[in-house]
């Protein structure tokens, strides 16, 4: 009996010792594969319709055009409603963000203190709107597997500034697309949940719809993509202040 | 007025058939302000249609911005005025901007913009000391930083996506326009009369620069780029003051003993400006700094001619006062902003030298703070802390200061509609612009509709 217990303990130890690094490596591999799927196109453009629903069910609509190149350049320009039209947000590598307000006629550098703030009244924050590679942003571990999903826990790397203490992300095992995510604030409380609906076009997967809910406010934003185009050879000039302020 | 009607007749049918080609955006603004004095006088009544039209071709963009306004109250003095709709309901048409912009003009990395345009320099919030190409629009004295468009040619070449050199030539001189109504005198300085004399009548002559290539023109360059995680720029401007200075005052005897008429001569002095600005962040805090080093081209001396007052014995009786030294002086702004976790946004700027202050000895210090928070899903915007402190003499701050407080609550619960209710409260002593407002506390209400 003693031998049996010893065997089990040894086996458990071996499993634990062997599994922990295996899962950590798996998480990193999964994140790399997620990045490969998300950033497989060289560039993409699309229009987006955002339906903002407050806790009482009242809806407001925002529309914008998006240009994205690689994994770290994104330009977001509002087209509707009239009060927001022309406002543009440029996200560049190294945490550089610029906001263009037509009324001021110049692009304004915005510091990282806005990261946890609402992006144009939506339930997405500036941090949510940044383009970033998962593998370069988070360290992760596989918590468990649920059917066709890997459930990962992600924590921002030490040199990455994030207002989330952790994220729980469910990744599809077959195509490595994030299916849903939970973002937790610095106090460890659930802040937001997101659900992604994916569509395949020209061999690329893209999120046709993202439903983001602010669990504290009770409001939600449904982001619906359309007119998606890939690999249009978008010039780097699109992601410059020159373009932000005029064309 | 006829021009305004004509414009609308042209524009609206145009917009009807060309909606898919010409982008038309605009705002309807209504601003009302009420003095908190015994009579509760209305001091501001503005109803404005702000119309922006944009047309793009491949590399060319045309843009126009037009204001059509009703401003102020009817100023009627005779029953004859009642026959004039223009006087009962005065309308004003202003072409704020009208320009063509060409991307890749001559070379791929060269952009050209020609026409009436707003050329924004600097990184500060509204009160940029280097943003001097366009004249101030001081009509609404509380709309700090508002500028008129200038007729200009701007060429901007890009060495890299981040580094560019801009050259700007403004052939015509255009002065600032001054505040209206109850605040009309805030940028005028009093002329000290010799002891025993009282003012009977004041008049002045404005010496405008010649409309030629040299006199009326301004020229500027700006090198803009990015280094060490910071946006930076350096600028040079050969410009002209847009608020006039007095060069000569002539006193002549009036009818009554001890009364005098004053005739002043004003002009717009030349200056050179070297500017620099930066914007970046320290930790999570956004920071910016901007400075303009001004070199007056000549000293400005005001000569007061009293020869006609003191004609016994006959001769020339004048006295000179130095208004502006030739010595360089610097106006600067240092600012920072931060958003707290709970959504409170704080913005603070320290400014040395307000827009009308010139000369080292005449620059006051201003601390301007803004704090706002959106609640109810950003439908209500609260600005409980907004305003500033002015110190005009650090030797005796207790008698040379001003405090202004401008809180506001704004409702944005319906798309394209914004309603605002606020107050302007002032206190202070001494010679500074905001201390001069101390008896002009106001309530304000505004409506803005976007379309």
């Amino acid at each position: 009996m003693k031998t049996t217990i010893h065997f089990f303990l040894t086996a458990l130890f071996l499993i634990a010792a062997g599994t922990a690094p295996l899962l950590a490596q798996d998480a990193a591999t999964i994140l790399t594969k997620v990045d490969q799927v998300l950033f497989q196109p060289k560039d993409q453009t699309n229009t987006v319709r955002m339906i903002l629903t407050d806790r009482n069910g009242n809806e407001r609509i925002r529309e914008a055009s998006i240009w994205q190149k690689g994994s770290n350049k994104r330009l977001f320009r509002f087209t509707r409603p009239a009060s927001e039209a022309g406002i543009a947000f440029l996200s560049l590598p190294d945490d550089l963000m610029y906001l263009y307000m037509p009324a001021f006629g110049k692009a304004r550098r915005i510091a990282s203190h806005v990261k946890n703030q609402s992006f144009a009244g939506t339930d997405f924050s500036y941090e949510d709107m940044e383009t970033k590679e998962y593998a370069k942003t988070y360290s992760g571990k596989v918590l468990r597997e649920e059917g066709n999903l890997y459930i990962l826990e992600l924590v921002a790397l030490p040199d990455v500034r994030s207002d989330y203490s952790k994220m729980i992300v469910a990744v599809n095992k077959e195509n490595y697309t994030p299916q849903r995510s939970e973002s937790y604030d610095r106090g460890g409380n659930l802040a937001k949940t997101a659900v992604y609906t994916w569509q395949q076009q020209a061999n690329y997967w893209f999120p046709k719809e993202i439903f983001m809910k602010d669990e504290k406010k009770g409001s939600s934003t449904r982001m619906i993509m359309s007119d998606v185009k890939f690999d249009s050879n978008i010039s780097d000039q699109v992601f410059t202040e020159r373009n932000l302020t005029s064309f | 007025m006829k021009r305004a009607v004509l414009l609308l007749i042209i524009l609206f049918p145009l917009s009807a058939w060309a909606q898919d080609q010409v982008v038309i955006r605009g705002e309807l603004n209504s601003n009302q302000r009420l003095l908190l004095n015994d009579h509760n006088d209305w001091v501001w009544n503005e109803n404005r249609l702000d119309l922006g039209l944009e047309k793009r071709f491949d590399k060319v963009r045309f843009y126009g911005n037009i204001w059509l306004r009703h401003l102020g109250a009817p100023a009627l003095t005779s029953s004859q005025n009642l026959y004039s709709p223009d006087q009962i309901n005065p309308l004003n048409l202003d072409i704020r901007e009208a320009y063509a912009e060409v991307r890749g003009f001559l070379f791929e990395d060269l952009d050209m913009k020609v026409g009436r345009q707003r050329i924004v320099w600097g990184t500060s919030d509204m009160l940029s000391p280097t943003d001097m190409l366009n004249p101030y629009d001081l009509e609404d004295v509380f709309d700090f930083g508002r500028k008129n468009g200038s007729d200009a040619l701007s060429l901007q070449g890009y060495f890299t996506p981040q580094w560019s050199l801009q050259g700007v030539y403004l052939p015509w001189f255009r002065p600032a326009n001054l505040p209206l109504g109850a605040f009309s005198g805030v940028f005028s300085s009093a002329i000290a009369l010799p002891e025993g004399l009282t003012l009977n009548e004041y008049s002045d002559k404005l010496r405008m620069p010649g409309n030629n290539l040299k006199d009326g023109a301004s020229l500027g360059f700006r090198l803009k780029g990015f280094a060490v995680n910071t946006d930076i720029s350096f600028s040079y401007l050969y410009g002209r003051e847009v608020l006039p200075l007095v060069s000569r005052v002539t006193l002549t005897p009036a009818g009554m003993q001890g009364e005098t008429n004053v005739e002043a001569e004003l002009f717009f002095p030349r200056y050179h400006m070297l500017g620099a600005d930066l914007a970046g962040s320290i930790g999570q805090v956004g920071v910016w700094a901007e400075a303009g080093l001004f070199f007056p081209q000549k000293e400005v001396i005001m000569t007061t001619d009293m020869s006609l007052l003191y004609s016994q014995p006959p001769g020339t009786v004048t006295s000179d006062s130095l208004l502006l030294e030739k010595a360089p002086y610097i106006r600067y702004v240092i600012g920072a902003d931060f958003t707290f976790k709970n959504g409170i946004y704080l913005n603070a700027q320290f400014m040395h030298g307000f827009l009308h202050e010139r000369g080292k000895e005449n620059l006051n210090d201003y601390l301007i703070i803004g704090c706002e928070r959106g609640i109810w899903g950003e439908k209500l915007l609260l600005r409980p802390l907004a305003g500033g402190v002015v110190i005009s003499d650090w030797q005796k701050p207790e008698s040379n200061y001003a405090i202004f407080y401008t809180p506001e609550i704004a409702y944005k619960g319906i798309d394209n509609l914004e309603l605002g209710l606020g107050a302007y409260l002032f206190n202070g002593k001494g010679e500074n612009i905001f201390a001069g407002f101390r008896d002009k506390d106001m309530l304000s209400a505004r409506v803005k509709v976007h379309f």
Side-chain angles (χ1 to χ4, degrees):
Chain A
M1 181 64 188
K2 225 176 175 182
T3 310
T4 311
I5 292 171
H6 184 258
F7 170 78
F8 269 107
L9 284 174
T10 307
L12 277 174
F13 174 77
L14 286 173
I15 290 166
T19 308
L22 181 66
L23 285 179
Q25 190 181 1
D26 279 352
T29 306
I30 292 164
L31 291 181
T32 302
K33 288 183 177 176
V34 169
D35 288 333
Q36 284 169 356
V37 171
L38 293 183
F39 303 112
Q40 190 183 1
K42 282 188 292 184
D43 59 57
Q44 72 179 72
T45 59
N46 59 273
T47 55
V48 59
R49 181 180 173 84
M50 292 182 283
I51 303 164
L52 289 61
T53 309
D54 69 15
R55 64 193 310 162
N56 300 317
N58 301 311
E59 288 190 350
R60 299 168 86 174
I61 307 290
R62 303 271 179 279
E63 286 178 5
S65 300
I66 301 177
W67 294 259
Q68 183 173 320
K69 187 167 188 177
S71 60
N72 51 20
K73 290 179 180 173
R74 181 183 282 169
L75 174 63
F76 195 102
R77 201 184 288 276
F78 281 96
T79 53
R80 189 187 162 197
S83 56
E84 312 287 327
I87 294 175
F89 171 65
L90 177 63
S91 166
L92 294 173
D94 301 322
D95 244 3
L96 275 179
M97 294 181 286
Y98 293 89
L99 188 66
Y100 173 67
M101 309 280 280
F104 296 110
K106 64 180 175 184
R108 187 170 172 198
R109 172 90 174 267
I110 48 177
S112 57
H113 61 82
V114 303
K115 273 193 164 189
N116 67 340
Q117 299 303 305
S118 161
F119 177 71
T122 69
D123 293 284
F124 292 82
S125 66
Y126 282 88
E127 182 176 349
D128 299 326
M129 295 302 296
E130 280 180 314
T131 53
K132 58 199 167 201
E133 290 180 56
Y134 277 84
K136 290 181 182 171
T137 310
Y138 302 105
S139 65
K141 60 182 177 185
V142 179
L143 291 179
R144 60 185 181 277
E145 295 181 18
E146 280 181 12
N148 198 32
L149 299 172
Y150 293 115
I151 309 299
L152 308 182
E153 181 181 294
L154 307 181
V155 177
L157 291 168
D159 60 336
V160 175
R161 208 193 91 62
S162 172
D163 271 293
Y164 299 128
S165 61
K166 67 173 181 181
M167 292 174 73
I168 306 293
V169 180
V171 176
N172 186 304
K173 284 180 180 175
E174 288 174 7
N175 60 19
Y176 291 93
T177 55
Q179 297 296 304
R180 60 173 197 265
S181 69
E182 295 173 353
S183 305
Y184 291 81
D185 66 17
R186 287 280 160 198
N189 304 306
L190 180 62
K192 290 179 187 173
T193 54
V195 178
Y196 302 82
T197 305
W198 294 83
Q199 185 172 313
Q200 198 170 25
Q201 178 180 312
N203 293 324
Y204 297 131
W205 285 99
F206 73 95
K208 173 77 180 165
E209 186 174 319
I210 305 172
F211 178 77
M212 177 74 84
K213 184 173 183 190
D214 188 316
E215 296 293 338
K216 292 177 180 172
K217 293 180 188 166
S219 56
S220 64
T221 299
R222 188 178 299 278
M223 193 184 273
I224 303 163
M225 318 293 173
S226 59
D227 304 324
V228 182
K229 289 178 191 154
F230 296 110
D231 298 340
S232 314
N233 286 322
I234 302 175
S235 163
D236 282 328
Q237 295 287 343
V238 169
F239 307 95
T240 60
E241 200 180 322
R242 179 188 188 189
N243 184 58
L244 191 64
T245 54
S246 57
F247 275 76
Chain B
M1 175 58 195
K2 278 179 186 169
R3 281 196 305 167
V5 172
L6 184 64
L7 183 85
L8 290 174
I9 289 170
I10 294 167
L11 281 180
F12 281 99
L14 178 77
S15 71
W17 66 262
Q19 268 181 354
D20 57 333
Q21 297 172 31
V22 178
V23 176
I24 300 175
R25 288 189 191 131
E27 293 174 8
L28 287 165
N29 280 285
S30 181
N31 288 295
Q32 315 294 326
R33 291 178 204 147
L34 180 75
L35 272 185
L36 293 172
N37 61 8
D38 293 342
H39 301 288
N40 296 130
D41 300 317
W42 289 104
V43 283
W44 193 257
N45 170 32
E46 179 182 18
N47 296 288
R48 184 174 87 211
L49 170 66
D50 180 343
L51 204 58
L53 299 105
E54 186 180 63
K55 171 71 183 168
R56 291 169 189 239
F57 298 98
D58 181 27
K59 288 184 168 182
V60 185
R61 172 176 173 254
F62 297 100
Y63 180 75
N65 180 226
I66 298 156
W67 281 8
L68 180 62
R69 294 187 298 170
H70 167 255
L71 195 60
L76 310 178
T77 54
S78 150
S79 63
Q80 291 302 306
N81 298 147
L82 297 172
Y83 294 100
S84 167
D86 283 357
Q87 285 185 285
I88 294 171
N89 193 24
L91 284 176
N92 159 262
L93 179 72
D94 189 4
I95 298 175
R96 309 286 295 181
E97 288 188 277
Y99 62 79
E101 184 177 13
V102 184
R103 169 75 66 93
F105 174 69
L106 299 179
F107 310 102
E108 192 178 335
D109 294 321
L110 183 67
D111 294 349
M112 183 193 70
K113 206 184 218 184
V114 62
R116 181 162 296 182
Q117 57 192 285
R118 176 77 177 92
I119 305 158
V120 185
W121 281 8
T123 54
S124 305
D125 252 10
M126 297 189 286
L127 298 161
S128 291
T130 66
D131 186 15
M132 299 296 289
L133 283 159
N134 301 104
Y136 300 117
D137 180 354
L138 301 170
E139 174 189 274
D140 179 357
V141 72
F142 298 106
D143 192 354
F144 300 129
R146 193 165 104 182
K147 301 265 185 152
N148 284 310
S150 300
D151 302 326
L153 170 67
S154 166
L155 291 167
Q156 189 161 10
Y158 292 82
F159 312 118
T160 71
Q162 291 172 327
W163 283 92
S164 68
L165 178 66
Q166 181 183 21
V168 182
Y169 176 70
L170 292 81
W172 299 87
F173 173 72
R174 191 177 177 193
N177 51 320
L178 293 171
L180 294 176
F183 298 92
S184 58
V186 299
F187 292 108
S188 310
S189 45
I191 292 172
L193 293 174
E195 202 173 330
L197 286 179
T198 55
L199 179 67
N200 177 57
E201 194 178 291
Y202 171 84
S203 63
D204 59 41
K205 269 189 220 165
L206 206 54
R207 270 199 286 131
M208 290 288 286
N211 287 324
N212 53 51
L213 278 177
K214 187 181 161 202
D215 281 355
S218 293
L219 183 69
F221 298 96
R222 188 181 189 215
L223 178 68
K224 190 171 184 304
F226 181 84
V228 202
N229 203 28
T230 305
D231 292 296
I232 51 176
S233 87
F234 302 96
S235 52
Y236 164 77
L237 174 64
Y238 180 50
R240 202 177 269 284
E241 297 285 356
V242 292
L243 287 165
L245 284 175
V246 181
S247 60
R248 189 174 185 85
V249 173
T250 305
L251 305 182
T252 53
M256 299 277 288
Q257 185 70 26
E259 286 192 339
T260 182
N261 293 335
V262 172
E263 188 181 322
E265 208 170 285
L266 302 101
F267 79 120
F268 301 91
R270 276 284 195 192
Y271 65 83
H272 300 269
M273 183 204 75
L274 290 176
D277 61 74
L278 62 88
S281 58
I282 298 174
Q284 293 180 48
V285 179
V287 293
W288 58 91
E290 183 177 347
L293 180 61
F294 293 83
F295 299 86
Q297 195 172 46
K298 291 178 183 170
E299 64 181 7
V300 178
I301 293 171
M302 181 177 78
T303 301
T304 305
D305 186 347
M306 296 168 284
S307 306
L308 295 173
L309 276 184
Y310 306 111
S311 54
Q312 296 299 327
T316 303
V317 182
T318 61
S319 75
D320 289 345
S321 322
L322 181 64
L323 290 190
L324 183 64
E325 278 186 292
K326 199 184 171 187
Y329 62 94
I330 188 164
R331 285 170 41 194
Y332 62 87
V333 171
I334 300 167
D337 68 348
F338 187 74
T339 311
F340 295 90
K341 300 276 182 207
N342 58 7
I344 292 176
Y345 172 74
L346 186 64
N347 178 315
Q349 293 194 105
F350 176 80
M351 180 173 65
H352 182 65
F354 201 50
L355 48 88
H356 67 300
E357 294 169 352
R358 286 162 288 196
K360 192 178 172 184
E361 303 302 320
N362 303 317
L363 305 179
N364 294 326
D365 292 325
Y366 299 77
L367 177 65
I368 298 157
I369 293 173
C371 174
E372 64 182 40
R373 186 183 180 194
I375 59 171
W376 297 349
E378 309 287 322
K379 288 176 183 169
L380 213 55
L381 192 64
L382 307 177
R383 294 192 187 97
L385 180 62
V389 178
V390 187
I391 302 292
S392 50
D393 184 352
W394 283 100
Q395 303 297 319
K396 292 182 180 172
E398 68 281 0
S399 52
N400 293 283
Y401 73 95
I403 298 169
F404 54 100
Y405 178 49
T406 56
E408 194 193 50
I409 183 167
Y411 174 76
K412 294 180 170 182
I414 300 168
D415 278 345
N416 300 321
L417 174 70
E418 187 176 338
L419 306 172
L421 189 63
Y424 294 82
L425 306 171
F426 306 97
N427 196 358
K429 288 180 181 172
E431 296 293 318
N432 69 72
I433 184 172
F434 290 98
F437 295 163
R438 59 185 164 263
D439 58 346
K440 291 187 169 62
D441 291 346
M442 294 179 292
L443 279 181
S444 71
R446 62 183 179 86
V447 180
K448 186 187 278 189
V449 179
H450 301 265
F451 60 89

